[in-house]
Amino acid sequence: MSQESEFSEGDLRNTGMSLKHDREWDYELDRIVEAVEERDAKKVGLQFPEGLKRRGPKVADDIRELVPDDVTVMLSGQPCYGACDLDTFLMKRTDVFVHFGHSPMKNTDKVIYVPLFSNVDVFPIMEEALDELPDEEVGLVTTAQHMNQFEDMKAWLEERGYEVHTRRGDERLTHEGQVLGCNYASAQVDADQVLYVGGGKFHPLGLAMEHPDKKVVIGDPVNNVVTVADTEKFLKQRYAAVHKAMDAQKWGVIYCTKIGQGRWEQAQEILDGNDDAYLITMDEVTPDRLRNFDMDAFVNTGCPRITTDDGPQFHKPMLTPGEYEIAVGNEPLDSLSFDTFHGTW
């Protein structure tokens, strides 16, 4: 029996993402054990994204069976939403630090990135998606979990007569054709239609917002469904937040201290232009943490998903930097766009 979602209609997590079949991933245990041996490690730290934390104890058990008894394996309890969201406290206190579920955003010897490639067969859902791809040219993008099949996806489309356009994007992206929840530069290709192969709706929705001139077709091999990204509901939510903030006098400017999410220059620019703006620094930005601040509205210079995912839950309007410029009258209402991140740290 279905239950009513606890999230608002505009919340991007309200997507019904229950798995319809089991998924397995490659945890690259041999690579982790090899690092333990090479470094004579005594402490191993493991960090999982939110949706995979439940698998942490089992992975820790598997590692403990393969390393000496005097090696301590620790699990990060910090929230984790991307490769930019590293538990630096744990990382500095372990000899081997493993970050699961994302591709490396920056080359570093301090972190072992295990992207957790999926073994889900993507081609049946790509076959269904062809009905939504009438043009001969198509852009192709996917997430880190399916990058192990990207070249095969591209070849599969080419065998069916498509001219496939792909690019890497910028330095925040590890692979050609990869998209992140904050960066869709890989979709900037010479094609009017883009096929996104992957689970969830947030990535293709952001892609459609970033590239409004393109038709974004979602081939979801996890839930076995094909849809076309529709930004209407999302735009209504964001326009409503901007309108609520237009009368704001006191602004809280959020600067996120997480290693890959701080945009100091952007925060400083807002402060320099508004005497009634106050800088608030924090690592985890949540509604509860901001409730006691006597502000009329907030502008978030950290991860864009804080605004888009959790925006309706904050007690006062929470805007992106671009939306802030509209609310204070510096930009027209029709300039509203999706907030994206570029560059690393």
Side-chain angles (χ1 to χ4, degrees):
M1 182 175 65
S2 63
Q3 295 181 341
E4 184 178 350
S5 171
E6 64 180 292
F7 304 120
S8 68
E9 186 177 53
D11 195 300
L12 298 183
R13 293 173 298 177
N14 189 15
T15 57
M17 286 301 297
S18 59
L19 297 183
K20 303 215 189 288
H21 55 75
D22 291 332
R23 259 191 307 185
E24 293 298 332
W25 292 277
D26 179 7
Y27 290 95
E28 301 186 33
L29 298 183
D30 291 344
R31 184 174 159 214
I32 298 169
V33 172
E34 182 179 346
V36 171
E37 294 173 350
E38 289 179 350
R39 304 177 193 182
D40 192 24
K42 300 303 179 185
K43 296 179 181 179
V44 177
L46 308 180
Q47 184 180 25
F48 292 85
E50 295 310 286
L52 293 175
K53 274 188 166 64
R54 65 186 183 279
R55 298 176 182 266
K58 180 61 170 66
V59 176
D61 286 342
D62 291 342
I63 293 173
R64 285 191 291 204
E65 290 181 4
L66 299 170
V67 299
D69 292 339
D70 61 347
V71 175
T72 301
V73 180
M74 294 176 278
L75 297 169
S76 171
Q78 290 293 101
C80 176
Y81 302 103
C84 59
D85 199 356
L86 300 175
D87 185 343
T88 54
F89 182 91
L90 182 60
M91 181 173 65
K92 293 175 181 177
R93 288 159 179 81
T94 50
D95 306 305
V96 172
F97 181 78
V98 188
H99 180 94
F100 291 95
H102 303 105
S103 297
M105 191 168 289
K106 186 175 183 179
N107 291 328
T108 174
D109 295 332
K110 297 181 179 180
V111 185
I112 296 176
Y113 287 91
V114 179
L116 297 181
F117 291 134
S118 172
N119 68 356
V120 172
D121 186 357
V122 299
F123 299 107
I125 203 64
M126 289 180 66
E127 183 75 48
E128 289 189 33
L130 296 184
D131 290 339
E132 296 288 352
L133 299 169
D135 297 342
E136 295 180 353
E137 295 183 274
V138 63
L140 177 64
V141 297
T142 188
T143 59
Q145 275 63 55
H146 301 288
M147 287 309 310
N148 56 326
Q149 301 183 70
F150 186 75
E151 289 302 321
D152 291 336
M153 293 183 214
K154 183 177 179 181
W156 187 92
L157 287 169
E158 290 172 340
E159 289 170 1
R160 282 150 183 80
Y162 286 93
E163 182 178 346
V164 184
H165 297 266
T166 63
R167 65 188 295 263
R168 178 186 170 190
D170 62 25
E171 67 270 25
R172 198 171 180 86
L173 300 159
T174 309
H175 305 286
E176 179 178 343
Q178 181 186 5
V179 293
L180 302 175
C182 61
N183 189 302
Y184 308 97
S186 293
Q188 189 61 51
V189 294
D190 292 328
D192 294 330
Q193 56 186 12
V194 175
L195 174 61
Y196 163 82
V197 180
K201 293 183 179 180
F202 182 88
H203 289 78
L205 180 59
L207 198 159
M209 286 286 296
E210 179 76 357
H211 304 286
D213 57 324
K214 301 182 187 299
K215 177 182 180 181
V216 178
V217 179
I218 308 167
D220 184 344
V222 176
N223 285 294
N224 195 32
V225 62
V226 174
T227 52
V228 177
D230 183 1
T231 63
E232 182 179 359
K233 184 185 297 184
F234 175 76
L235 282 171
K236 287 181 178 178
Q237 175 205 308
R238 299 316 311 155
Y239 277 125
V242 171
H243 277 291
K244 289 180 181 178
M246 284 182 172
D247 295 328
Q249 297 297 317
K250 288 196 298 184
W251 288 85
V253 181
I254 309 300
Y255 175 75
C256 186
T257 58
K258 289 185 178 183
I259 188 170
Q261 297 182 12
R263 289 185 281 185
W264 176 258
E265 291 181 0
Q266 196 168 48
Q268 189 63 55
E269 184 177 338
I270 295 171
L271 293 169
D272 290 344
N274 190 339
D275 291 337
D276 295 315
Y278 303 86
L279 186 68
I280 302 173
T281 65
M282 54 204 316
D283 54 357
E284 188 68 13
V285 185
T286 66
D288 286 344
R289 289 189 173 192
L290 292 178
R291 191 168 296 278
N292 290 329
F293 283 100
D294 183 25
M295 300 291 171
D296 300 315
F298 298 95
V299 53
N300 166 43
T301 67
C303 175
R305 297 192 67 167
I306 295 169
T307 308
T308 53
D309 283 26
D310 298 329
Q313 300 182 49
F314 288 92
H315 70 293
K316 294 294 175 66
M318 172 67 78
L319 305 188
T320 66
E323 292 169 348
Y324 165 81
E325 295 296 332
I326 296 173
V328 297
N330 293 339
E331 296 292 339
L333 190 61
D334 60 6
S335 67
L336 192 148
S337 62
F338 201 83
D339 187 24
T340 57
F341 251 92
H342 298 277
T344 57
W345 57 89

